[in-house]
Amino acid sequence: MKDLLNALLFSCCMLGSSAQSNWVSKAPLPGAARHHPVTFVLDGTGYLLSGSANGNVMLKDFYSYDTSSNTWTKKTDFPGLARGFAEAVTYNGKAYFGFGYSQTRAALNDWWEYNPDTDSWRQLASCSCSGRLHPALIATSNGRIYVGAGSSNRNLKDYWEYNVATNTWFKMPDLPGVARHHPFYFGIGTDAYMGLGHGSDFF
């Protein structure tokens, strides 16, 4: 019991020490200030794209961030429709991006691949699902990407699998829980996890 109490006390001290870490100001994004951009990391480089400016102007500009030099670099603009509330994941050195809300307030279901080696985009097969904002988007280690839930004119609970190797979509069983958008999600190995989120129908 004493060892357990000592371990708990040490853990609390470590957490307290971590909580006192300082924030350090870094170079600001050279593009417009924005709401709900998409971010991801490839080979130690951070990337940021899309989002909405001033609450209603959808964006498609794209930037990378180098931590060692604290600099942003303008990348090739996303060639699809400008959008906010989209999602992206990475797998095997590339990023996969799609969905979201267009300037005309259309919910999107298109699907794209970004190759950082050539700074180029390639359009892939669109999801066979309806367009949506804020879905869960989960990459697993076996070359599958899962899309589920989200919202369009209502919350959703359908679930889809994308096969990276064959560029095909497959309908999975619906989420057995409540329909929702903006859930939290992650993948561990070949398993995908999703939960929480907004259960009401507001965007």
Side-chain angles (χ1 to χ4, degrees):
M1 178 62 71
K2 183 178 179 181
D3 289 341
L4 176 60
L5 291 175
N6 286 338
L8 289 173
L9 178 62
F10 178 75
S11 296
C12 291
C13 290
M14 291 298 292
L15 288 171
S17 176
S18 296
Q20 295 171 14
S21 297
N22 295 324
W23 287 94
V24 178
S25 180
K26 296 293 184 178
L29 178 73
R34 65 198 63 205
H35 174 64
H36 275 297
V38 168
T39 59
F40 56 88
V41 175
L42 284 169
D43 296 325
T45 297
Y47 293 86
L48 180 147
L49 76 154
S50 72
S52 60
N54 302 317
N56 59 7
V57 178
M58 302 301 166
L59 303 170
K60 60 193 302 183
D61 52 343
F62 185 31
Y63 301 87
S64 66
Y65 176 75
D66 186 318
T67 58
S68 62
S69 62
N70 185 29
T71 56
W72 292 90
T73 300
K74 182 76 171 64
K75 311 301 287 186
T76 300
D77 282 353
F78 172 63
L81 292 174
R83 67 194 65 201
F85 310 98
E87 301 288 346
V89 292
T90 60
Y91 175 75
N92 198 27
K94 296 178 181 177
Y96 295 86
F97 170 77
F99 303 94
Y101 202 36
S102 76
Q103 188 65 55
T104 60
R105 302 302 188 261
L108 304 170
N109 68 344
D110 55 346
W111 191 232
W112 299 77
E113 177 188 80
Y114 175 72
N115 185 338
D117 294 336
T118 57
D119 185 28
S120 61
W121 291 92
R122 179 169 71 104
Q123 186 166 13
L124 303 170
S126 295
C127 183
S128 303
C129 59
S130 59
R132 61 196 63 205
L133 294 69
H134 283 318
L137 189 61
I138 309 155
T140 56
S141 62
N142 59 347
R144 304 294 190 271
I145 297 174
Y146 295 94
V147 176
S151 65
S152 53
N153 59 347
R154 59 185 175 83
N155 278 334
L156 303 168
K157 59 189 300 182
D158 55 335
Y159 205 66
W160 298 79
E161 179 189 87
Y162 175 74
N163 186 315
V164 174
T166 61
N167 188 28
T168 54
W169 292 90
F170 177 74
K171 178 73 169 64
M172 303 290 287
D174 286 356
L175 173 71
V178 175
R180 69 196 69 196
H181 70 280
H182 213 330
F184 287 89
Y185 53 86
F186 53 88
I188 299 177
T190 59
D191 295 326
Y193 297 82
M194 177 176 72
L196 309 178
H198 294 292
S200 65
D201 281 330
F202 77 93
F203 284 68

